[in-house]
């Protein structure tokens, strides 16, 4: 989407593909027009800092587990593209992927929600190491990290979909 389109057209669905937090999308839409892609990204980052833990939990329902193809709720075609692109490097090592899936179950039992990491550019071994490290965190620390990771994913998706004019 070009800057002019972002500033003039309905963007709720477009932003929901980045992260399923309606209040965030509404804030971005209400703040238009933006003067540049960088201005949108800066405002989006600022708004991500206001997310509540309940909003984050709801958004996690639309993310597949690392190594899995589907989320708790059905993904849109665009969300599937994002997820596959972000996890591309993690799909190269079947043995490590099996370990990741097993660790995902432990993580979900431990914390009550899926393990979330900005997987873009990470190998399956790096993801497994992060998962095992994060299993040792207390609840408050892990919630903080999950919120940061979700924001990083949302901003990456937003940046990828905003084209230069």
């Amino acid at each position: 989407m070009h800057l002019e389109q972002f500033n003039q057209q309905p963007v709720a669905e477009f932003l929901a593909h980045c992260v399923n937090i309606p209040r965030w999308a509404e804030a971005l839409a209400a703040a238009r027009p933006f003067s540049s892609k960088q201005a949108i990204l800066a405002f989006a980052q600022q708004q991500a800092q206001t997310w509540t833990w309940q909003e984050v939990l709801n958004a996690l329902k639309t993310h597949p587990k690392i190594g899995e193809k589907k989320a708790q709720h059905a993904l849109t075609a665009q969300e599937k593209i994002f997820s596959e692109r972000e996890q591309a490097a993690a799909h190269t090592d079947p043995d490590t992927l099996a370990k990741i899936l097993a660790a995902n179950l432990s993580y979900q039992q431990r914390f009550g929600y899926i393990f979330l990491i900005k997987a873009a550019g990470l190998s399956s071994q790096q993801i497994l190491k992060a998962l095992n490290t994060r299993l040792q965190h207390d609840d408050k620390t892990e919630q903080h990290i999950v919120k940061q990771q979700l924001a990083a994913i949302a901003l990456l998706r937003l940046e990828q979909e905003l084209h230069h004019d």
Side-chain angles (χ1 to χ4, degrees):
M1 178 176 280
H2 292 281
L3 178 63
E4 183 177 301
Q5 291 172 301
F6 185 87
N7 282 331
Q8 296 175 0
Q9 295 179 1
V11 291
E13 184 177 329
F14 170 77
L15 292 170
H17 295 310
C18 298
V19 66
N20 189 16
I21 298 183
R23 187 173 58 84
W24 182 76
E26 291 164 6
L28 267 67
R32 296 179 298 173
F34 289 96
S35 60
S36 67
K37 177 181 174 178
Q38 292 74 25
I40 296 170
L41 293 171
F43 188 77
Q45 172 64 39
Q46 178 187 28
Q47 290 304 303
Q49 299 304 311
T50 71
W51 293 345
T52 67
W53 180 243
Q54 189 59 52
E55 288 173 320
V56 170
L57 283 176
N58 289 338
L60 290 179
K61 294 176 184 174
T62 63
H63 278 271
K65 292 178 185 174
I66 293 290
E68 285 189 342
K69 298 291 185 192
K70 63 181 194 175
Q72 193 172 341
H73 296 287
L75 298 176
T76 66
Q78 185 60 45
E79 289 166 332
K80 287 177 188 174
I81 291 168
F82 281 136
S83 183
E84 289 171 6
R85 186 185 311 157
E86 291 158 4
Q87 294 189 40
H91 292 290
T92 58
D93 180 358
D95 294 332
T96 305
L97 282 179
K99 291 177 184 174
I100 288 171
L101 290 174
N104 268 332
L105 292 175
S106 296
Y107 182 96
Q108 194 160 6
Q109 289 172 346
R110 162 88 171 80
F111 293 107
Y113 47 87
I114 67 164
F115 172 74
L116 185 74
I117 190 168
K118 181 182 163 200
L122 297 179
S123 70
S124 54
Q125 292 86 4
Q126 290 170 312
I127 292 169
L128 181 59
K129 182 178 178 183
L131 205 165
N132 286 326
T133 298
R134 288 174 50 189
L135 272 165
Q136 306 307 312
H137 291 162
D138 62 68
D139 290 349
K140 184 176 180 179
T141 299
E142 191 55 24
Q143 287 175 6
H144 178 73
I145 291 171
V146 169
K147 186 176 174 183
Q148 286 180 328
Q149 292 296 303
L150 184 61
I153 292 166
L155 292 170
L156 174 65
R157 290 177 175 186
L158 181 58
E159 182 175 19
Q160 289 173 342
E161 293 303 305
L162 289 172
H163 307 292
H164 293 287
D165 285 330

